[in-house]
Amino acid sequence: AFFSFTLDDEHLLGGKKLGDGIAAPDKSDTFSTLFDRFDTDHLGSLDKSKVTEFVRQFQLGASEFGGSKFNPENVAAFLLGSYGKSVKGKLSKEEFVKMALQFSN
């Protein structure tokens, strides 16, 4: 979930509609920005603690892993094992975006 707002005097679209040639950001851009939020040390990858925090904040997979009783560390370990292929125990930005795109569909 996210929250967005504009001030009354902000005209972000300049009177145009999205169909008038203004492109809306695609999901990849959104997930890339989300990755940057969790990549606090700017190393270009997320380790288990950062993926755990991501899972905890968004309760990713809660229904598949026991609802509110699921363990975020176990989910993070599963995600790292399933999607973290370039460096063991880490998710690159590309792997994170790919994972997030699969979960969003």
Side-chain angles (χ1 to χ4, degrees):
F2 69 94
F3 179 76
S4 177
F5 69 93
T6 61
L7 301 174
D8 286 341
D9 61 349
E10 287 185 295
H11 300 289
L12 300 179
L13 298 178
K16 296 182 181 180
K17 297 177 184 160
L18 286 178
D20 294 338
I22 297 175
D26 68 8
K27 287 181 181 180
S28 295
D29 293 337
T30 301
F31 294 137
S32 181
T33 301
L34 184 60
F35 174 91
D36 292 339
R37 177 176 159 203
F38 286 90
D39 184 20
T40 55
D41 54 10
H42 310 289
L43 294 176
S45 63
L46 303 179
D47 61 15
K48 185 176 180 185
S49 67
K50 293 176 186 170
V51 175
T52 299
E53 184 58 28
F54 166 73
V55 170
R56 189 173 281 123
Q57 284 192 22
F58 294 96
Q59 296 197 352
L60 184 65
S63 61
E64 291 86 3
F65 293 98
S68 62
K69 298 177 185 177
F70 80 107
N71 182 329
E73 289 183 17
N74 292 344
V75 176
F78 170 78
L79 295 174
L80 287 167
S82 299
Y83 294 94
K85 302 298 183 187
S86 59
V87 177
K88 186 175 181 173
K90 297 190 181 233
L91 276 178
S92 68
K93 182 182 268 193
E94 294 79 20
E95 292 166 337
F96 179 86
V97 170
K98 179 180 178 182
M99 175 197 74
L101 286 169
Q102 287 181 336
F103 275 95
S104 71
N105 289 331

